[in-house]
Amino acid sequence: MLSTDDVAFYRENGYLMVENAVTPAQLEALQRVTRDLIEKSRAVTESNDVYDLDEGHSAAQPRLTRIKLPHKQHPVYQETLVNSRITTVLKTLLGPNVALSTAKLNTKAPGGGAAVEWHQDWAFYPHTNDDLLAVGLMLEDVDEANGPLQVIPGSHKGPVLAHTNAQGVFCGAVDPSDPDFHQDKIVTLTGKAGSMTIHHVRTLHGSAPNMSDRNRMILFYECLAADAWPLVGGASYYQRLPQRELWEDLHTRMVCGQPTTQPRVEANPIRVPLPPAPDAGSIFKTQKSGGARSAFAMMG
């Protein structure tokens, strides 16, 4: 699935594009289930455990930012992760023992669906090592108009930027004026349905508002080497589980291989995502309630 050059490119640049990551049948099943979930959101009037609603959502015109934990909403999402070409890519980049940290389906609504401001995932959830990445599977064609993922190549080798507002509160986004935010190096990742992006946990990335007339549906799987254990932040559910449930949970989240009780510890730059934003229910809420400064507004 990946050539030696592909792997070298990922190691050097912190991102990769892979075409035809799933079969046509898998893609069709994912599209059908996702459209059904969006259709069911018509009956929802406020964000809940399944949906994050965008501004202007209504029964007549569903507008979502995200379907939460899609692998918990329908088995097709889990089955695709563990039994597709995605699985092979994960083994190549992370090793034989790979776990799912979380999943989300960003459905960015047409006509101005919310941007995701520039950030590093590592700022939200540092681990004992940084063998973590996010897979973004395109469920529809993604072009320049509908808010594609953008990355800054090589940023995964640099510092962890401050993700705080002017008052020092974690807002989940970098300051656009930070000298280590090199917007002149931005690369835009577009592709056909069935293609996927991969970005390293420390790679700076974001996505502009969706200005097209169609949803931008990207299924994100956030995965990690099984010996990367959370320190603080987004994976704090670890600390809330009793030990027996924790061990059982680790097994249910394995994509391939086996979990381990021996974390691999490496020296990496770390910032703790504290103090938290007033509403940290999702990255959209963290960035909005935390008063994140918009790089996209400045670029526009």
Side-chain angles (χ1 to χ4, degrees), residues 165 167 169-172 276-292:
N165 62 21
Q167 290 72 47
V169 174
F170 185 76
C171 66
D279 186 346
S282 70
I283 189 172
F284 301 100
K285 293 177 180 178
T286 296
Q287 292 183 345
K288 183 176 181 179
S289 70

Side-chain angles (χ1 to χ4, degrees), residues 11-249:
R11 303 292 184 212
E12 179 64 24
N13 294 282
Y15 77 95
L16 192 64
M17 276 287 303
V18 177
E19 297 180 348
N20 302 315
V22 293
T23 66
Q26 287 173 322
L27 177 61
E28 191 278 331
L30 289 165
Q31 291 172 332
R32 183 180 66 255
V33 171
T34 301
R35 288 168 183 151
D36 183 58
L37 283 168
I38 293 174
E39 184 67 20
K40 289 178 179 177
S41 75
R42 293 179 185 273
V44 178
T45 57
E46 60 183 30
S47 297
N48 57 24
D49 291 341
V50 179
Y51 302 106
D52 267 335
L53 306 185
D54 201 352
E55 294 181 5
H57 172 82
S58 67
Q61 186 178 25
R63 292 181 60 84
L64 308 178
T65 57
R66 173 175 294 172
I67 296 171
K68 302 176 183 178
L69 302 176
H71 61 301
K72 301 289 188 181
Q73 315 307 336
H74 194 283
V76 69
Y77 299 109
Q78 178 72 15
E79 173 61 23
T80 301
L81 174 62
V82 302
N83 188 25
S84 70
R85 295 169 183 161
I86 297 173
T87 324
T88 305
V89 171
L90 291 172
K91 289 180 181 179
T92 302
L93 296 180
L94 296 176
N97 303 306
V98 179
L100 175 68
S101 175
T102 191
K104 54 204 175 189
L105 206 168
N106 288 357
T107 59
K108 194 176 290 192
V116 177
E117 297 298 337
W118 284 87
H119 66 284
Q120 294 163 294
D121 294 338
W122 188 246
F124 287 79
Y125 44 82
H127 280 57
T128 57
N129 66 71
D130 66 354
D131 271 343
L132 296 85
L133 56 78
V135 166
L137 179 64
M138 301 176 186
L139 301 188
E140 301 285 356
D141 293 352
V142 175
D143 58 27
E144 296 268 359
N146 64 350
L149 183 70
Q150 296 180 307
V151 298
I152 297 181
S155 53
H156 67 306
K157 294 184 175 182
V160 181
L161 276 58
H163 287 61
T164 53
N165 62 21
Q167 290 72 47
V169 174
F170 185 76
C171 66
V174 302
D175 183 344
S177 65
D178 191 311
D180 286 312
F181 175 55
H182 301 290
Q183 55 182 282
D184 58 311
K185 298 181 179 179
I186 290 173
V187 172
T188 300
L189 304 179
T190 59
K192 296 292 185 181
S195 299
M196 72 177 182
T197 62
I198 305 162
H199 65 267
H200 188 272
V201 71
R202 287 170 55 192
T203 298
L204 273 162
H205 62 286
S207 63
N210 178 6
M211 303 311 295
S212 74
D213 59 358
R214 63 195 188 284
N215 286 310
R216 191 221 65 179
M217 300 193 297
I218 299 184
L219 172 60
F220 284 99
Y221 297 110
E222 296 180 4
C223 300
L224 65 159
D227 60 3
W229 280 66
L231 299 175
V232 69
S236 59
Y237 59 83
Y238 282 123
Q239 286 78 46
R240 298 199 298 267
L241 289 174
Q243 289 184 350
R244 182 173 297 279
E245 290 184 27
L246 169 59
W247 187 238
E248 292 171 352
D249 178 68

